[in-house]
Amino acid sequence: MKLFIFHTPELTPTDKVPECAIAVDVLRATTTMATVLAAGGEAVQVFSDLDQLLAVSEKWSSEKRLRAGERGGSKVPGFDLGNSPLDCTPEVVQGRRLFISTTNGTRALQRIQDAKAVLAAAFVNRAAVVQYLLEKQPETVWIVGSGWEGSFSLEDTACAGAIAHSVVQQTKLSQDELAGNDEVISAIALYSQWQDNLLQLLHLASHGKRLLRLNCDEDLKYCSQTDILDVLPIQQEQGVL
Ligand code: 3SL
């Protein structure tokens, strides 16, 4: 297995596709997606465009769908939900499809949607994603951070490092053998330094600070938890996990 980490969708190569690609948006899109599926959601369908989301979801009855829209950290007016994983309780999501559009996370997923296997990862479901990698042993794996509007996100790279760190620990591979690019080595170093203080790391991150200004302290606490959900969001058809 060779692992490559790309900090943003913009830094991700466009001239090839890997066997397995993983989108990461710890704050908060991929955390929300994992939470919805773990809570019994039927599926998660991602859109970059809000109008397209409204048009496609119109074909589902309102009992079978939930529309989630986030821009700039806030809920889009008229949508059922914003992008807080804390709103995605079994009572709310069970048996329903989540149609979701967020600022960066859905773009990262769309950027990798042609890979043979497409996953969504966050700290909350890190172990399930690592388990998949260990079982399937894909030759090439890309982890793509969502970043924020094209720039680096500390928390996404730390989560990519958490995945890489766990693969190294559970295989005979050294960091050097696993790493396809230098980003893997630096992501493992970042995670190793902060693994016992992930909430503090989220408080240092620029998007963490943006969410704190929106009173999302509890969201940061939830998103900083590692391996709490045994769920593997994996693409079933294009754009649907
Ligand atoms: O950018 C995104 O995709 C979102 O996850 C951002 S937020 O955490 O909902 O503000």
Side-chain angles (χ1 to χ4, degrees):
M1 189 191 311
K2 270 288 175 201
L3 175 65
F4 297 78
I5 293 174
F6 302 105
H7 295 310
T8 63
E10 288 75 8
L11 288 169
T12 306
T14 51
D15 58 343
K16 47 191 162 208
V17 284
E19 199 177 329
C20 175
I22 305 169
V24 175
D25 187 13
V26 170
L27 296 174
R28 295 167 289 174
T30 54
T31 303
T32 295
M33 292 171 195
T35 302
V36 166
L37 295 173
E42 181 259 322
V44 172
Q45 188 160 356
V46 300
F47 295 83
S48 48
D49 184 70
L50 291 169
D51 290 332
Q52 206 195 346
L53 182 160
L54 290 173
V56 173
S57 60
E58 201 49 48
K59 294 169 199 135
W60 261 255
S61 69
S62 50
E63 298 83 55
K64 289 278 173 201
R65 71 162 189 239
L66 279 169
R67 289 163 162 169
E70 167 276 329
R71 288 295 179 267
S74 300
K75 175 173 170 286
V76 176
F79 278 60
D80 301 312
L81 300 172
N83 188 25
S84 173
L86 299 178
D87 292 335
C88 302
T89 58
E91 295 72 34
V92 173
V93 304
Q94 203 142 40
R96 301 171 93 177
R97 177 172 293 213
L98 185 81
F99 295 87
I100 184 169
S101 178
T102 68
T103 312
N104 305 286
T106 51
R107 266 183 340 117
L109 267 165
Q110 287 185 328
R111 177 69 204 76
I112 58 171
Q113 66 187 3
D114 293 328
K116 217 161 134 195
V118 176
L119 311 178
F123 286 122
V124 289
N125 69 332
R126 185 271 305 255
V129 168
V130 170
Q131 192 55 38
Y132 174 90
L133 297 178
L134 299 180
E135 272 169 31
K136 301 286 177 191
Q137 292 288 332
E139 213 167 284
T140 311
V141 180
W142 291 3
I143 304 181
V144 176
S146 300
W148 184 266
E149 295 180 343
S151 55
F152 175 87
S153 274
L154 199 55
E155 66 280 10
D156 293 341
T157 297
C159 182
I163 295 169
H165 182 266
S166 181
V167 171
V168 166
Q169 283 200 326
Q170 295 190 59
T171 61
K172 292 198 173 78
L173 291 173
S174 65
Q175 282 193 39
D176 196 22
E177 286 163 331
L178 179 68
N181 59 6
D182 288 358
E183 284 86 336
V184 176
I185 308 292
S186 69
I188 292 174
L190 178 68
Y191 173 71
S192 301
Q193 184 174 345
W194 287 94
Q195 58 181 318
D196 297 326
N197 292 301
L198 289 174
L199 179 57
Q200 211 182 325
L201 181 75
L202 297 191
H203 277 250
L204 284 179
S206 56
H207 187 47
K209 290 182 178 148
R210 189 177 294 113
L211 289 171
L212 289 171
R213 287 195 293 275
L214 295 168
N215 301 316
C216 296
D217 309 50
E218 293 302 317
D219 285 52
L220 264 66
K221 277 187 201 157
Y222 179 78
C223 295
S224 71
Q225 299 175 94
T226 304
D227 303 339
I228 58 164
L229 301 179
D230 187 15
V231 67
L232 185 73
I234 185 163
Q235 185 169 260
Q236 312 293 335
E237 58 184 270
Q238 226 169 50
V240 181
L241 304 164

